[in-house]
Each structure stands twice: as C-alpha cells, then as structure tokens.
Amino acid sequence: MLRQQSLTRLKERSEPWDIVIIGGGATGVGIAMDAASRGLDCLLLEQADFGKGTSSRSTKLVHGGVRYLQQGNITLVRDALKERTLLRNNAPHLVHDMPFLIPCQSRWERMYYAIGLKVYDFLATGNRFGRSHAINQKESLQRVPTIKKEKANGGVIYHDGQFDDTRLLISMARTADEQGACLLNYFAVTDLSKDSSGEINGVVAEDRETGETHSIAARRVINAAGPFCDAVRMMDEPGAEKMLAASQGVHIVLPRRFFPGDIAMIVPKTSDGRVLFIIPWHNHAVVGTTDTAIETVSLEPKPQADEIEFLLETAKEYLVEAPTHSDVLSVFTGIRPLVKGDKSSRTASLSRDQTIRLSDSGLITITGGKWTTVRKMAEDCVDRTLASTKKSGNPLTANPCQTETLHLHGYDPNSGSTNTVAGSGRGHYGSDLREIENLEREKVEWATPLHPELSITGAEVIWATRHEMARTVEDVLARRTRCLFLNSAAAIAISEDVAKLMASELNCDETWINEQVAAFAKLSEAYRIA
C-alpha cells in the first residue's frame, strides 16, 4: 500500500470511478474493502490519516454491548455478537477473547447479572467465545488482585472481544488495496460536483501534501466522514439540518501494575449512568470512558478536566492503589457520531445503530454504528448504493458481498490461540511480523527498542513507512504503532529518532525532520495531563 502508486493510479484514470468514498475511518475503509471485493472500482479519500479521528480512539472492544442488552436492544446486540465472531475468524491476529469481571457487592446483584449474561450467551450461540459464570469472592480477588475486597463480594465473568482498533483499520486498508481499491490519505474533499440536472457526479479534492487540486468523476459518492459527515452534507445542501449530536469519550492509560492479570473489569453503573471498563491493552491498563456532549467536532478533541477526575475517582473507588494524575501515562479522546434523537435525549442513550440516507442529488451518507458492526455497515451501504442506481440508464452491478469470509491482511490462523493485544508481544502484525523480523536481521540497530518503556523498534518505523502509507511521525507513533496512546512522554522522547528513520525512506531533509518533531510535540499536548 504505497501512496505514490495510488496517486499515479488516480492521475492516470480517465473513466469515472464507480464509487468515491469520503472518509478513511472504520466505516469508509470497510466500504472500500466491501466494494472492491465485489469488483467495483472505488476510490477512498481521507483528509488526514487513516483512523485519525474516532476510529483510533475506541475502548478497544469488539463486543455485543452489555449496556445495549440492559436497554433492551436485542437486535443490535444479536447482530453485533455475530459480527464479533466474524471479525475474530477473519483477523485472529487482531481480535481475541477477553474475560471480563463484573464485581458484585451482594448475592442478589450477582444473580441479576448472571441471569442477564446467560441471555448474552444465548444470543451468541455458535461462536467461539467463552461463556459467562458466577464466581465467589475468593476467586474474584484471585482474578483481579488489585480490586478492593469490599467491592467484590463475588462476581460474574463473561467474555467479549478485544482488539487494536487502528491496527485492524490498517489491516482492512491493505486488504481493500489488495482487492483493487485505491486509497489516499492526506487528500481532502473540498467540494462536490454536479451535472446539469443537479445530480452529483464527482468530487473536488486537494492533495494536502502538494496543494494540487483534482476534479474526480464518480458514478456515486459515499459520505463516510464520521463526526464530519454533516460538513460533507452541507457541500451538497448548504441549509441541511444536522444529523448528529456529537459527544466525546475520554480514556486514561495507567501502568500495568494498577491492573495486572489477563482479565478486564466492567463497572456496570457509574455516577453518569454509563458503564466503565478497566482493560489490559499492550501491557498497560486503559480506563474509560466518559460521555460528554460537545457543540463542535475537531480532529484533535481534548479532554475536559472533570472527565479526567471522573475516571480517576471511579478507578479509585475500585482499585487498592488509587491512581493519581501523575500516574496517567496518556489520555486520548474520541468523538461519537451519534444520530440525533429528541432534544431531551442524553447522548448516552442516542442511537448507535447505523443510519444511511440518500439525498435528492444522490449523495449517500452513512453514520452511526460502532467498530464491531463495521463490516455489516459496509455491506448494507454498498447494497444501498447499488440499489440507488437501478433506475438510472447505467446501473452499477457487482458480485454479492464477500466479506463474511474474507481473511484480512496479516491473517495468521495460529495467532488466535494467544492473547495478542493485551500483552507486550507483537502478534498484532500477524503474518507481517516475519517480514519485520527480517528487517531487524538486516540491520541490527533496527531491532533494538527505541525506548525502554515501549516495544517499538526501528524496523517497525521502516515497515510503516514502506508498506502502510505512514507519512508523518504522528502516523507512526499514534496509529501504525500505539506509542502516543500508551505513553505520551516516551513517544515524545523518540520522535526525533522516528523522524530520522522516516526521512531516510521518504527522501526528506533536516528541515522536514525538525518540523515533524515540533509538530508532534505540539500535538502530544492533548495526550498529556498538565
């Protein structure tokens, strides 16, 4: 997956693309993968980097949604549980089974959750995830030794999936590329073009690296811009009513000592009515999330002080060692593109179901949903896109959906037996790991971790730059690896080393290196607690 090859392909194309997709997050990349695997010619354009926004900032769960079960949304839970299994089947190097403890303080509470989770198990019939069961206090404290004794007078264990969101996204992008899709990051759509009848027939886009403007013809345009989908809709209909009521969710990352072991924990009801997770992830502990309504969306949302306090105070209620501000290694904030309800609705209760709309001029907008169901969202969107052309004189035709059984790039059938994402290993690279290890043998200096508190090596930087379309230090340290999300101070410390390695691959000079280091330092402020 090379940017220059994609750019050359775009410039040399004379025919309209079957589909142009706006947005390179989970939904957009999922659509590109689905469409290309059906034989459609599709182009995906992302204004920043793949997964720059919401798709890199999740709670790292592939799950049916225990909270949605409590709300009685059985259909959403059932469908998500099916997709959870498909994701694990198709990307076992990135999705694995994770047990979760629900700590209970009374026998009645334990019985309540045990019964509810049997329904969860029933809806997941036929998958390869573990089954729920109740445990006593002794076993609860054995499984989670850092939980306060009074908070776990027994508990219930259930199973869900865990993953690395952006590594999965890159795997999907490379799969889409291998299936024939053309993907470009740092390529912003600035306008929509229309024919004499007012039908959308393409986009105008700017290459953010060169400033060059491109007019691109398309038979259909799909708006998969996540929290920014309303901005794209305004290009089509300047007075269009907004679809989204955005909220943000914050996570903090702590050293592993706060939550050792191979199990996660869920606090089923917090003071704001949400659930809260404490999850082992890449040899750290992630605590989240919050739910705060926001008026405006940005590519780099920032946590609010009261959100940090809420997470620390909730963790303090349950953990023997109370985490403080100085213990937080990193904080990351994501925006949820929630479909609007009535004006009285809290964002925590707004719809996570996908919404697909077709405008009068032919713009297809898809929003809502969640990471777990992105494959089905993409299938539905491509189906809707094909159907929308049936009445035209030149309808789009394609093969049936292929993605239920499409193995993602890096597929390694042997990786599913180990907990590849929670620990400190590199199994999340799947079959690519062998090539990365070859790079480390090629140059010994590329095999040494760049920082004692992070696992990243020079070979991983080279790999991301050569094969995963990483263009900036941020791309490597935030998304191709997860260094910025795990330990912001350590990521800043190695940013110059990363810039130098990238510069050798991209033929960039000292000025570029200095600019990259300065830009990364400024960006990292949003991931640190002052």
Side-chain angles (χ1 to χ4, degrees), residues 72-147:
N73 197 335
I74 300 296
T75 300
L76 177 61
V77 174
R78 182 195 63 219
D79 292 348
L81 287 170
K82 176 187 175 183
E83 294 301 319
R84 180 186 71 168
T85 295
L86 294 177
L87 263 176
R88 189 180 181 193
N89 290 345
N90 292 327
H93 56 301
L94 286 163
V95 180
H96 63 82
D97 185 306
M98 171 66 77
F100 287 75
L101 171 68
I102 301 180
C104 300
Q105 293 176 273
S106 68
R107 182 176 296 177
W108 180 90
E109 192 177 24
R110 184 167 44 171
M111 183 171 63
Y112 170 79
Y113 288 115
I115 293 172
L117 287 164
K118 287 302 177 187
V119 176
Y120 201 64
D121 291 344
F122 175 77
L123 293 172
T125 297
N127 67 33
R128 299 187 295 117
F129 288 80
R131 294 298 190 226
S132 63
H133 60 281
I135 59 174
N136 58 30
Q137 184 181 58
K138 180 180 179 181
E139 188 175 354
S140 297
L141 298 175
Q142 287 175 340
R143 296 299 300 270
V144 183
T146 53
I147 192 174

Side-chain angles (χ1 to χ4, degrees), residues 1-2 29 33 50 167-181 183 408-410 429 432 463-464 466-469:
M1 189 170 72
L2 301 175
V29 172
M33 187 173 72
F50 307 118
R167 287 307 314 173
L168 178 60
L169 183 68
I170 296 302
S171 180
M172 289 167 56
R174 295 199 67 182
T175 306
D177 176 78
E178 290 160 1
Q179 293 292 321
L183 299 90
L408 301 190
H409 179 90
Y429 283 109
D432 284 342
W463 180 263
R466 287 183 184 176
H467 301 288
E468 296 180 345
M469 220 182 280

